Amino acid sequence: MPESTRNPAQPTDVSMLGLGAMGRALATALLDAGRSVTVWNRTPDRAAELVARGARAAGSVGEAVAASPVVVACLLKYPSVRETLDPAAEELRGRTLVNLTTTTPNESRALAAWAAGHGVEYLDGAIMAVPAMIGSGEGQIFYSGSRTAYDTLRPAFGVWAASEFHGEDAGRASLVDLAMLSGMYQMFAGFLHGAAMAASAGMSASEFAARQTPFLSAMTQEFAGYAKVVDGGDYTVPGQQSLDFSDLSDLVRASEEEGVDPSPIAAVQALISRQKEAGHGAEGFARIYEGLRAAGSAEEDAA
Ligand code: FVH
């Protein structure tokens, strides 16, 4: 019997709140794996395709929450999660909430505290995949929060992507996710800045990409060496490219001369300059890590 025509009182395995591109991909993968799924979305029309595949549509958040022991939220941002769940807090009591909405680490911790205050088991998740990768075996989802919830749900959620548990601090999965995205977005911005510079010589972005891709791929091999220096904490180890050597003033000036906004590369040069002014010019490039960390501590100290 299709799920949509089941007795409404019969519980389903998972209730999915949020049927945007990602929520629909997650719900589809669960249905394809034979799980029974209740779905809810603020704009109800978005449930139609899933109902046709066997999901049960709930008419309200409370109804969706009451339908399953496990409730997955894949909404937009932290406020949308609270707006959706606050009114259903009592129905959630005794159930497990898995939040896959992108939130900051502190927002994830706030949700964990909110859940604990309402007798709800909480697992936070950060999706390292686009919707098309869900169920393809390519993506990854980082989890943190309740270990019990993770251990119980891992077999079911394994259909989405590879699962990785990051500990009981509910904010850790989000922190690692956002740290990875920080690296990715700065790489993309760097590529686009380079493409803008090359454009002033008439090179198309596609031509530039064809050159940049193998170069950057090769450069990522350097991460492990930088990481070793950072973890060892000794920026004087021989064999490193020094900050004096890495000075990017010419690169910044070249960008300006071509009429291209130098802000991405100027930000890197500012990090280099700060270390040189503090007397570390002879040390390795990786020393800028210390400047980034110290700036965070200074802000915390000032707070
Ligand atoms: N799509 C992706 O590639 C990324 C990959 C990494 C992780 N993200 C995060 O997943 C969350 C959902 O992303 P999404 O792609 O499904 O996003 P949308 O298609 O824009 O759908 C958003 C859903 O959230 C609902 N919604 C928004 N605001 C509210 C609200 N105030 N109350 C209730 N629901 C709300 C929205 O409902 P509607 O507009 O259809 O009525 C959608 O269901 C996100 O955190 C990504 O960062 C995806």
Side-chain angles (χ1 to χ4, degrees), residues 176-200:
V176 179
D177 172 40
L178 297 181
M180 301 227 339
L181 292 179
S182 173
M184 181 191 80
Y185 279 113
Q186 290 179 81
M187 178 188 71
F188 286 147
F191 160 69
L192 292 168
H193 176 256
M197 283 182 75
S200 61

Side-chain angles (χ1 to χ4, degrees), residues 18-23 40-43 46 74-77 80 83-84 100-102 127 129-131:
L19 303 176
M22 185 53 83
W40 173 88
N41 195 59
R42 179 181 61 175
T43 309
R46 293 183 108 170
C74 189
L75 300 162
L76 198 57
K77 291 178 188 291
S80 64
E83 271 170 40
T84 302
L100 298 179
T101 311
T102 303
I127 304 172
V130 294

Side-chain angles (χ1 to χ4, degrees), residues 17-31:
L17 308 179
L19 303 176
M22 185 53 83
R24 289 200 305 277
L26 298 168
T28 301
L30 290 175
L31 289 167

Side-chain angles (χ1 to χ4, degrees), residues 214-260:
F215 180 66
L216 283 188
S217 300
M219 287 300 105
T220 60
Q221 301 306 309
E222 300 295 317
F223 288 171
Y226 283 130
K228 199 170 167 193
V229 171
V230 167
D231 291 341
D234 182 1
Y235 300 94
T236 66
V237 172
Q240 299 178 64
Q241 181 172 308
S242 74
L243 284 157
D244 285 333
F245 186 86
S246 309
D247 190 280
L248 303 176
S249 311
D250 287 350
L251 218 164
V252 173
R253 209 169 49 256
S255 178
E256 288 165 344
E257 283 170 7
E258 299 304 321
V260 173

